[in-house]
Every structure is written in C-alpha cells, then in structure tokens.
Amino acid sequence: MPSAAALGQVLLGFLVLHLVEGVVMGLVFQLAHVVEGTTFSTPDGSGTMQDAWAVHQLQTTANFAPHNGLASFFCGGLNRQIEYHLFPRVCHIHYPPLASIVRQTAREFGLPYLENPSFGSALRSHYRLLRRLSQPAIVAKPARLVAVYA
C-alpha cells in the first residue's frame, strides 16, 4: 500500500498538471477567437447563421505564432486554428502547406485570414480587445423632434 506522502505527491502532480493544462488551453482558445479582427456572429431571428460554415470559420478565428515550431509542438497545431477548424481530421503537420492555400483562397474571395505573428502579439491583441469590450457602451440620445408649423 502506498504511503500517504506518495499519494499526496500523486494528487499534487495531478492537480498541477490539470491546472497548467487548463491555463494553456484557455490561452490557446482565447488567442484564437477573442482577438482584434475576429467577429462574434449571431443568428438571425429564425436562429439561422447567414454565412456559410467555412466563411464563419474565417471570420471568427485567428492563427497565432504560426511559424513558431515550439508553439506548434506544444499546442499540437492548435496555434493554427483556422486550418484546424477547416480541416479537423488532418494531422497538424500538414497545416503549414494548407495555410498558404487557405490564405490565397480567402484573398480570392475577399474573406479575412487573421494571423498574429507571435504569441506575444496575440496576447496584446487579446488584451486590447478585452479593454475595448470593457468600456461602457456609448448610447446615442435620440434627436429631439421639433414641430414646425407653417
């Protein structure tokens, strides 16, 4: 039977692993979807999204640190979220060549292809967006109507 100290170490290791994993995954998804340039689409009155599925992926997703091998390794390719969303069953080692095709196709159709060149630039973009979203909404006052009688 393992000692209480050994069980405590296993439990501590388990908790630290999941804490770190949660922070990393949270960062990956925030930096891929909540940065400047991405849109937050909403369905119309009938609950239908108006844009095609692939267009929606390009509008709501951004890549970060796409040329950083270390980021690609540790994120398992999730730093290339655009390609991941468009080709979820393709191994991430194929994302770099796919990215050039997707980027060119997006350009041809006038669609966004958002990319932050580094982890730091994505983090700064995320921070700027959160700051902008935290500002109170500016509500325009309705114009005062003045009756004019002739």
Side-chain angles (χ1 to χ4, degrees):
M1 179 104 193
S3 70
L7 287 175
Q9 287 178 335
V10 169
L11 182 60
L12 179 63
F14 179 81
L15 292 174
V16 168
L17 168 82
H18 285 284
L19 176 68
V20 170
E21 179 184 20
V23 168
V24 168
M25 294 306 291
L27 276 172
V28 166
F29 296 127
Q30 292 298 302
L31 299 183
H33 295 287
V34 187
V35 292
E36 297 166 309
T38 57
T39 60
F40 301 96
S41 303
T42 55
D44 63 17
S46 68
T48 304
M49 299 298 284
Q50 292 301 309
D51 290 318
W53 171 81
V55 171
H56 178 79
Q57 302 309 315
L58 289 167
Q59 292 171 338
T60 61
T61 309
N63 291 341
F64 66 91
H67 305 291
N68 184 322
L70 200 59
S72 293
F73 175 78
F74 281 113
C75 294
L78 290 177
N79 56 321
R80 289 185 181 267
Q81 280 282 297
I82 294 171
E83 288 71 31
Y84 169 75
H85 279 281
L86 295 175
F87 307 101
R89 293 191 173 154
V90 173
C91 179
H92 71 90
I93 64 169
H94 302 295
Y95 290 169
L98 282 172
S100 60
I101 297 167
V102 172
R103 186 182 301 108
Q104 177 60 36
T105 304
R107 188 178 303 124
E108 287 173 19
F109 286 89
L111 297 169
Y113 185 87
L114 303 171
E115 207 169 70
N116 282 297
S118 68
F119 179 83
S121 66
L123 200 55
R124 287 187 296 276
S125 178
H126 176 65
Y127 175 76
R128 286 189 301 267
L129 179 62
L130 290 181
R131 254 191 92 140
R132 191 172 76 232
L133 292 175
S134 72
Q135 301 302 311
I138 299 172
V139 180
K141 292 182 182 180
R144 178 171 270 216
L145 298 177
V146 177
V148 178
Y149 298 99

